[in-house]
Amino acid sequence: MTGSCGGHAAQSFAVFRMRRAWTAMIRRAAVLIVCVAAVALAASCAGRFMHWTPFARERTAAAYDPARWNLIVVNRWHAIPSEYPQTELTTLRNGQQVDARIYPDLQRMFDAMRADGLDPEVTAGFRTRDVQQRLMDEKVAEYRGKGLPDAAARVQAEQWVAIPGTSEHEIGLAVDVNARGRATDANWAVYRWLAANAYRYGLILRCPDGGSAMTGNGYEPWHYRYVGADAAKAMFASG
Ligand SMILES: [Zn+2]
């Protein structure tokens, strides 16, 4: 009896130890999962860190297919490829320029906005690489002026200005749309309209709030990218 009793106790203790080890392992796994999720979330919430190790991603040339010119992905990690052809431009009344292929849809969108009582304008369209470089230099200088050291100033600037060679403005497929005169309320009326309707005209919000990990940029409610109506509708539907 004693033996079986002792055996039983030993067995219970073994089970107890196994359970304890098991619980500890589950606890460690849970902590690990939470840590991984936190890092992933932090990374996805903070595109600004994505080019710092350990989140660094190499920049490569964007894939370009002339038959799907409207779908080229150009961003912090995908530079405009050297074979990208010279953009044929259409000049708007205010002097801004866009890829001629997006002009008809853009015009239809502006007609619809005006019909809804808004007074929008394209405040930035096509930009040369030199202009993009100048914008970057100015932004870096602005942050340096606030006392940031060089590297930190560059990190901050790259939040708001695309690295030269990686801006959709350099291929004429992006437009910044604001209210003429840029009054805050009028601007936001324009941004709200765009958020709800631009996709119908083939334009998508490129840098949504919280989407910086995907685009590598800060929230820019005025920055729209042309992808064509079919793609825009599909992207809008999928959120
Ligand atoms: Zn823009």
Side-chain angles (χ1 to χ4, degrees), residues 72 74 166-174 206 223-225:
I72 186 169
V74 167
T166 74
S167 171
E168 295 169 325
H169 284 289
E170 293 173 59
I171 52 174
L173 297 182
R206 199 67 182 90
H223 180 97
Y224 276 76
R225 157 67 198 268

Side-chain angles (χ1 to χ4, degrees), residues 127 169 175-176 220 222-223:
R127 243 177 236 157
H169 284 289
V175 283
D176 291 351
E220 298 184 338
W222 52 83
H223 180 97

Side-chain angles (χ1 to χ4, degrees), residues 9-10 56-57 103 105-106 115 135 150 171:
R57 280 160 60 179
Y103 177 73
D105 280 342
L106 191 64
L135 291 177
D150 233 1
I171 52 174

Side-chain angles (χ1 to χ4, degrees), residues 131-176:
V131 169
Q132 189 67 30
Q133 184 66 57
R134 202 189 67 217
L135 291 177
M136 177 59 84
D137 294 346
E138 286 170 1
K139 204 65 171 173
V140 171
E142 185 186 319
Y143 280 110
R144 290 199 59 192
K146 289 177 182 170
L148 287 186
D150 233 1
R154 196 159 293 281
V155 167
Q156 288 301 320
E158 287 176 3
Q159 267 286 278
W160 298 105
V161 177
I163 297 162
T166 74
S167 171
E168 295 169 325
H169 284 289
E170 293 173 59
I171 52 174
L173 297 182
V175 283
D176 291 351

